[in-house]
């Protein structure tokens, strides 16, 4: 499958079939451990038997002193490798269900509290895993009731519903840490939230795309080390590389640590755009320390965005009509940023706020 087709498939399949790896979840979530303490966590796009999100919080239930952990499966979840037949816990095949954990102890008596105790609890406590009336869609009445209970949502929502998902969480004033496509940054419903600092990019860098386990029927089968670019097969499991970042309402390190700027401004090194009222900077590290006008920077700037140092004014019109906030020269007829007639990749427009 070509890269463009694979990305389209990843965005358009409602049940995803692209599973987030535990190491990526741990790497990001460990940055917010203090925010999780004593909270109710909802993973509302996660089959409890499949989701590494659910496993991450279940294994840390006591460490974080969680009030409750909730995970919701979608009706079409495949539950590959599930050890427990659903009928054994009263779940009809093909139906959505939820798991709710409010306590975790050494249930199996092996003198440790681990994933085996989570499995024991789900097998033996009939109140933990229950069938839903609907299909488990996060917008359903049942799932909205679960959303009302939650303090923090942590999940990987369906790509094609990302804007709807974020809009719902923001309108219900929920804290969240979720995965989404890098391209989602420029969505008309998402960029204004980034611009106003209501949501921000997580700690993981733009330079680190993420591998997702793929269980699509046409994922292909390759010998280890022989998969095409953007794919890999390890121990019989197939993975695809997708341009994905974390989005969150939490403050990250970049929000509080200003960039150290060292380069002086000069018109030669920082030319103006042909079609935008701003100077161009190709690398975040090269932002001049003595320029206080409008600056166009790559989207990777968001890795280091500190609101006490900069404000975001807009982005290039190629990402959406009106996104530049009046900086674009409409008479040029060209939305992609240009310098000396040469097209550049999309830019975010910023301005210093720490003026002496």
């Amino acid at each position: 499958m070509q890269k463009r087709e694979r990305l389209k498939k990843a965005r358009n399949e409602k049940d995803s079939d692209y599973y987030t790896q535990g190491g990526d979840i741990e790497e990001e979530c460990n940055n917010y451990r203090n925010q999780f303490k004593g909270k109710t966590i909802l993973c509302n796009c996660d089959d409890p038997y499949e989701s590494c999100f659910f496993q991450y919080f279940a294994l840390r239930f006591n460490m974080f002193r969680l009030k409750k952990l909730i995970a919701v499966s979608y009706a079409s979840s495949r539950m590959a490798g599930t050890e427990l037949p659903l009928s054994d816990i009263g779940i009809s095949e093909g139906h959505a269900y939820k798991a709710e954990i409010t306590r975790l102890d050494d249930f199996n008596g092996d003198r440790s509290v681990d994933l085996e105790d989570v499995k024991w609890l789900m097998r033996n406590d009939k109140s933990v895993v229950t069938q839903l009336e609907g299909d488990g869609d996060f917008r359903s009445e049942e799932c909205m009731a679960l959303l009302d209970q939650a303090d923090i949502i942590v999940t990987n929502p369906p790509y094609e519903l990302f804007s709807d998902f974020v809009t719902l969480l923001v309108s219900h004033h929920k804290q969240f840490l979720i995965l989404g496509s890098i391209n989602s940054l420029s969505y008309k419903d998402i960029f204004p939230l980034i611009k106003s600092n209501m949501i921000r990019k997580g700690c993981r860098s733009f330079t680190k795309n993420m591998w997702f386990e793929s269980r699509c029927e046409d994922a292909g089968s390759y010998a280890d080390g022989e998969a095409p670019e953007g794919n890999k097969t390890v121990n019989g499991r197939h993975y695809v590389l997708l341009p994905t970042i974390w989005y969150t309402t939490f403050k990250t390190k970049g929000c509080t640590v200003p960039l150290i700027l060292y380069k002086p401004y000069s018109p030669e090194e920082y030319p103006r755009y042909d079609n935008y009222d701003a100077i161009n900077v190709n690398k975040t590290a090269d932002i001049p320390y003595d320029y206080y006008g409008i600056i166009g920077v790559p989207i990777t700037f968001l890795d280091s965005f500190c609101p006490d140092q900069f404000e975001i004014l807009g982005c290039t019109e190629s990402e959406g009509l009106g996104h530049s906030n009046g900086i674009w020269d409409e008479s040029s007829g060209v939305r992609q940023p240009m310098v000396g007639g040469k097209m550049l990749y999309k830019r975010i427009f910023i301005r210093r706020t720490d003026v002496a």
Side-chain angles (χ1 to χ4, degrees):
M1 184 185 297
Q2 296 297 316
K3 182 176 181 181
R4 185 178 301 233
E5 293 173 344
R6 186 179 71 249
L7 295 179
K8 182 178 180 181
K9 185 176 182 67
R11 295 187 187 108
N12 291 334
E13 288 197 359
K14 188 165 187 174
D15 61 348
S16 291
D17 284 333
Y18 288 85
Y19 291 79
T20 314
Q21 296 187 81
D24 291 327
I25 294 170
E26 182 174 6
E27 177 190 54
E28 185 71 21
C29 286
N30 282 354
N31 293 290
Y32 313 98
R33 287 175 292 185
N34 290 335
Q35 284 92 333
F36 295 141
K37 288 183 177 179
K39 304 297 185 181
T40 293
I41 306 295
L42 172 62
C43 306
N44 52 349
C45 300
D46 298 270
D47 186 316
Y49 287 100
E50 292 290 326
S51 169
C52 289
F53 287 97
F54 180 76
Q55 290 183 19
Y56 174 85
F57 287 106
L59 288 172
R60 292 159 181 80
F61 190 90
N62 293 331
M63 180 191 306
F64 293 159
R65 301 193 297 275
L66 295 182
K67 180 180 179 181
K68 183 185 288 190
L69 171 61
I70 309 171
V72 181
S73 83
Y74 194 71
S76 62
S77 174
R78 298 183 182 183
M79 295 171 295
T82 297
E83 299 177 10
L84 181 65
L86 291 180
S87 58
D88 287 0
I89 53 174
I91 307 298
S92 302
E93 186 175 351
H95 282 69
Y97 60 96
K98 63 181 172 69
E100 295 185 75
I101 293 179
T102 57
R103 73 193 195 287
L104 188 60
D105 296 309
D106 179 19
F107 296 118
N108 62 3
D110 65 355
R111 299 184 180 182
S112 66
V113 179
D114 53 26
L115 196 56
E116 292 304 312
D117 295 296
V118 178
K119 294 177 181 177
W120 187 98
L121 183 64
M122 295 172 75
R123 286 190 184 99
N124 294 280
D125 188 334
K126 301 302 183 183
S127 68
V128 172
V129 181
T130 54
Q131 184 169 304
L132 296 177
E133 302 254 339
D135 62 4
D137 189 299
F138 65 84
R139 298 161 296 188
S140 68
E141 185 176 344
E142 290 173 296
C143 292
M144 290 297 294
L146 296 175
L147 180 67
D148 288 339
Q149 295 182 40
D151 298 304
I152 303 170
I153 288 75
V154 188
T155 192
N156 180 6
Y159 272 25
E160 82 283 5
L161 297 175
F162 184 82
S163 290
D164 292 344
F165 192 78
V166 171
T167 299
L168 179 69
L169 300 188
V170 170
S171 67
H172 282 72
H173 308 288
K174 297 298 180 180
Q175 297 274 65
F176 60 82
L177 176 64
I178 62 176
L179 284 166
S181 166
I182 288 177
N183 292 328
S184 301
L185 282 167
S186 57
Y187 290 177
K188 65 178 182 179
D189 295 324
I190 303 301
F191 184 73
L193 299 173
I194 297 285
K195 179 173 172 288
S196 62
N197 202 35
M198 289 182 65
I199 66 173
R200 53 194 66 89
K201 191 193 75 63
C203 294
R204 187 183 179 95
S205 172
F206 276 101
T207 61
K208 298 171 66 177
N209 287 336
M210 293 178 64
W211 289 99
F212 293 83
E213 184 181 351
S214 172
R215 298 177 188 170
C216 299
E217 292 180 359
D218 61 350
S221 179
Y222 310 100
D224 289 4
E226 295 183 1
E229 182 181 0
N231 296 259
K232 67 180 180 180
T233 300
V234 180
N235 297 326
R237 292 179 178 269
H238 186 65
Y239 299 87
V240 294
L241 187 65
L242 299 175
T244 307
I245 59 173
W246 294 91
Y247 294 80
T248 186
T249 53
F250 296 133
K251 287 188 176 181
T252 60
K253 183 178 179 180
C255 292
T256 57
V257 180
L259 279 168
I260 297 176
L261 308 175
Y262 69 96
K263 296 193 71 170
Y265 167 75
S266 70
E268 295 75 26
E269 187 167 1
Y270 300 99
R272 301 191 71 81
Y273 295 103
D274 301 345
N275 53 342
Y276 287 94
D277 186 18
I279 65 169
N280 178 59
V281 173
N282 289 320
K283 295 180 180 179
T284 299
D286 293 340
I287 295 173
Y289 68 82
D290 54 352
Y291 188 85
Y292 295 93
I294 302 173
I295 303 170
V297 292
I299 61 172
T300 50
F301 164 80
L302 293 174
D303 273 337
S304 308
F305 173 45
C306 174
D308 292 334
Q309 187 179 26
F310 294 98
E311 63 177 328
I312 297 176
L313 302 176
C315 67
T316 42
E317 296 283 323
S318 52
E319 304 313 300
L321 190 62
H323 273 21
S324 70
N325 198 22
I327 299 169
W328 179 45
D329 177 8
E330 188 173 355
S331 66
S332 69
V334 180
R335 297 183 184 181
Q336 199 76 17
M338 290 193 309
V339 172
K342 181 181 178 180
M343 296 279 193
L344 302 177
Y345 193 58
K346 60 186 174 186
R347 292 291 193 263
I348 293 174
F349 296 113
I350 62 171
R351 182 167 53 198
R352 294 276 293 277
T353 57
D354 60 341
V355 181

